[in-house]
Amino acid sequence: MPEGDTVWQAARRLDAALTGHILTECDIRVPRYATVDLSGETVDSVVSRGKHLLTRIGEYTIHTHLKMEGSWQVYPRGARWRRPAHQARIVLGTADTVAVGFSLGITEVVDRSDEESVVGHLGPDLLGRDWDAAVATSNLVAAGTRPIGEALLDQRIMAGIGNVYRNEICFLRGIDPRTPTDHVPNPSKMVDLAHRLLNANRDRPVRVTTGDRRPGRRDWVYGRGGKPCLRCGTLIVAGEFGEEPGRERSIFYCPNCQPLLRPDG
């Protein structure tokens, strides 16, 4: 699932392509909204909220979420799409540009005044105007005995962290992702790190958490199972981890740099 910085970049591309322009085409290929046609309306803005995208058009907001396979792509009118047409869930066109949402996990239309019904549950957005480190820290502390690796993925705590960042944040703070959150020292530092990492990467074409842009050295642990730790040389452990059966996600950690802190000490 894309990270918050990826979604932020998608919002910027869509906003640049659509905002201020009149829609000449609005094709929503989701049965519930197939009859919705916003052609003739002007796009007011496209913004991200955590991992959610909000395209504001007149009295309505098109709410989309990329989930695992989704993407928004922008083309000059008449250009050939890079993904199959049958994967398109929504097509928004202007006189010169076509924006296509492929394989989106969520595509829905809500009244603009009712946006909170789709994003109101989210915690402070790490890349948003509503960012509040104190609220995010309080939310994280309230996670109690939940494993820190699960708490970091909970968008109700703070919005924008995905699996890459949760693994990298845990490494940089020296915490095994299975550690209970209430055993994590200085949770405010974890929140601050998350904010700094996403902001540092939001304008980069390639995400880097190590400071080294060379291929294979951009991440400390994510995707590096069985490879030497870039810090100490210990082999990185890869596994599956999740609170709910069937919803496990990949975890990567260095058993030397990230000791597991258990409730029993």
Side-chain angles (χ1 to χ4, degrees):
M1 188 176 295
E3 311 283 322
D5 53 358
T6 300
V7 179
W8 189 88
Q9 291 174 8
R12 289 288 297 273
R13 289 194 299 272
L14 290 170
D15 191 65
L18 299 175
T19 294
H21 296 280
I22 296 172
L23 289 183
T24 59
E25 179 181 5
C26 178
D27 181 6
I28 305 178
R29 302 177 182 182
V30 176
R32 182 177 178 182
Y33 302 102
T35 60
V36 174
D37 185 1
L38 299 178
S39 298
E41 297 281 352
T42 299
V43 178
D44 296 309
S45 65
V46 183
V47 299
S48 61
R49 182 75 171 80
K51 299 183 184 184
H52 300 252
L53 284 161
L54 303 172
T55 303
R56 295 162 175 161
I57 306 168
E59 297 179 0
Y60 299 96
T61 294
I62 298 175
H63 168 229
T64 58
H65 195 298
L66 304 181
K67 296 291 187 180
M68 295 298 294
E69 305 295 334
S71 70
W72 272 99
Q73 297 179 9
V74 177
Y75 301 93
R77 182 162 287 284
R80 183 176 180 178
W81 296 355
R82 296 188 297 274
R83 292 182 62 167
H86 73 266
Q87 294 181 1
R89 296 294 175 265
I90 182 170
V91 181
L92 300 176
T94 69
D96 303 313
T97 302
V98 176
V100 188
F102 293 99
S103 301
L104 301 173
I106 296 174
T107 304
E108 60 182 344
V109 182
V110 300
D111 289 341
R112 190 158 164 181
S113 61
D114 197 30
E115 285 184 1
E116 286 299 293
S117 68
V118 293
V119 294
H121 65 288
L122 298 174
D125 184 352
L126 284 152
L127 294 177
R129 294 180 179 179
D130 72 317
W131 173 246
D132 189 319
V135 171
T137 299
S138 178
N139 291 345
L140 188 62
V141 169
T145 60
R146 289 184 69 189
I148 185 61
E150 287 299 300
L152 288 173
L153 290 179
D154 190 337
Q155 303 301 295
R156 297 168 298 180
I157 290 175
M158 50 184 161
I161 295 176
N163 201 31
V164 176
Y165 278 122
R166 75 102 169 241
N167 281 284
E168 296 296 285
I169 290 167
C170 285
F171 175 82
L172 287 166
R173 291 296 299 146
I175 302 293
D176 187 300
R178 298 167 297 173
T179 299
T181 298
D182 59 4
H183 276 61
V184 173
N186 300 314
S188 63
K189 291 187 176 181
M190 187 159 273
V191 169
D192 177 67
L193 176 61
H195 188 229
R196 287 188 287 113
L197 279 176
L198 267 75
N199 270 279
N201 281 293
R202 70 179 191 177
D203 293 316
R204 289 175 176 166
V206 177
R207 183 182 300 113
V208 179
T209 60
T210 61
D212 188 337
R213 301 189 180 207
R214 290 176 293 175
R217 300 183 68 87
R218 294 168 181 160
D219 297 306
W220 289 104
V221 291
Y222 183 79
R224 303 193 70 251
K227 297 179 180 179
C229 174
L230 295 175
R231 181 176 289 167
C232 74
T234 302
L235 296 184
I236 300 298
V237 174
E240 297 289 322
F241 179 62
E243 293 176 305
E244 300 180 27
R247 300 190 65 181
E248 295 86 357
R249 303 284 298 279
S250 299
I251 59 169
F252 303 90
Y253 60 94
C254 172
N256 180 58
C257 296
Q258 296 171 260
L260 177 61
L261 305 178
R262 298 184 181 277
D264 57 9

